[in-house]
Amino acid sequence: MGHVTSIVERLRAAGCVFAEEEAELLIAAASDDGQLAGLVARRVEGEPLEHVVGWAEFCGLRVEVGAGAFVPRRRSEFLAEEAVALARPGAVVLDLCCGVGALGAAVASQVPGGVELHAADIDPAALAYARRNVAPYGGAVWEGDLYAALPAELRGRVDVLVVNAPYVPTEEIGLMPPEARVHEPLVSLDGGADGLDVHRRVAAEAAAWLAPGGHLLIETSARQAPLTASALTAGGLAVRAAASEELHATVVIGRAPVA
């Protein structure tokens, strides 16, 4: 099916750094030569590989994604790891700004005994994928703007609130690779003037939704971490930061008061 060498050459000419690996994934995703030709054409035209093949690898899971959805980034695996470390069996876990639900699924898959999983986002297209990705873990999916999406009975019950909200400053979106700024929704990228508009909104209401001693974990950049931390402190949380040099990832963690 398809001539591998010619596919690799086309991908390489289009600027794909890992052309051999991508060719293998495209061939595996195609049921015949006609479909393969279409998939290769989409990739050569600059569509993200994950959109073309229909899935992304995240924390060892195959997470369903597709056209118009934000693709989970490898750096966010650090956010998932930090959340898993704080989630006891049976914990109430909320993946807010969940996109396709990768973070929630990853956390639920790694906590022994499982968790009570909830995922929420404002983007109905992303939630169509999220429903499938969290289904194996009994996850509930809610549509709406941040906490407004959630059922009232979750208030004060969330043990682990994990958030990968947009944090790219509006003026820097034009500097992002075309794969992101052309093919992913702006709502999943644009963090406002300094990139932290959504972080401040999340932090302002987090304490009301967290259980006593519950944790909010939010991905940010090393540069923006002090401002993210300030927002969590202003929200009444005790704050620390964690970083992974390997994944170039920074996570700010806030803990709700126990009393």
Side-chain angles (χ1 to χ4, degrees), residues 155-182:
R155 186 179 288 267
R157 287 191 59 234
V158 178
D159 298 302
V160 177
L161 172 50
V162 61
V163 182
N164 184 16
Y167 55 94
V168 180
T170 304
E171 289 190 354
E172 293 180 21
I173 287 173
L175 306 176
M176 296 184 75
E179 283 187 8
R181 57 183 162 81
V182 174

Side-chain angles (χ1 to χ4, degrees), residues 123-190:
D123 181 5
L127 290 180
Y129 296 103
R131 286 187 183 92
R132 297 199 288 271
N133 288 323
V134 305
Y137 314 102
V141 173
W142 310 99
E143 181 182 338
D145 186 18
L146 297 183
Y147 302 104
L150 304 176
E153 55 264 29
L154 263 185
R155 186 179 288 267
R157 287 191 59 234
V158 178
D159 298 302
V160 177
L161 172 50
V162 61
V163 182
N164 184 16
Y167 55 94
V168 180
T170 304
E171 289 190 354
E172 293 180 21
I173 287 173
L175 306 176
M176 296 184 75
E179 283 187 8
R181 57 183 162 81
V182 174
H183 295 282
E184 293 180 326
L186 191 62
V187 70
S188 69
L189 304 174
D190 190 347

Side-chain angles (χ1 to χ4, degrees), residues 12 59 64 72 78 134 155 169 198 218 224 236 238 247-248 251:
R12 193 172 283 133
C59 292
E64 285 193 44
F78 180 65
V134 305
R155 186 179 288 267
V198 186
I218 190 162
Q224 293 161 302
L247 293 176
H248 303 289
V251 174

Side-chain angles (χ1 to χ4, degrees), residues 62-144:
R62 267 200 184 202
V63 176
E64 285 193 44
V65 298
F70 179 82
V71 176
R73 309 295 201 252
R74 180 154 184 264
R75 83 170 72 88
S76 299
E77 292 183 355
F78 180 65
L79 178 56
E81 290 168 13
E82 291 292 307
V84 168
L86 293 169
R88 54 171 174 69
V92 177
V93 175
L94 170 60
D95 181 0
L96 194 63
C97 304
C98 71
V100 300
L103 279 166
V107 174
S109 74
Q110 293 182 46
V111 176
V115 302
E116 180 188 324
L117 178 61
H118 297 265
D121 201 281
I122 199 170
D123 181 5
L127 290 180
Y129 296 103
R131 286 187 183 92
R132 297 199 288 271
N133 288 323
V134 305
Y137 314 102
V141 173
W142 310 99
E143 181 182 338

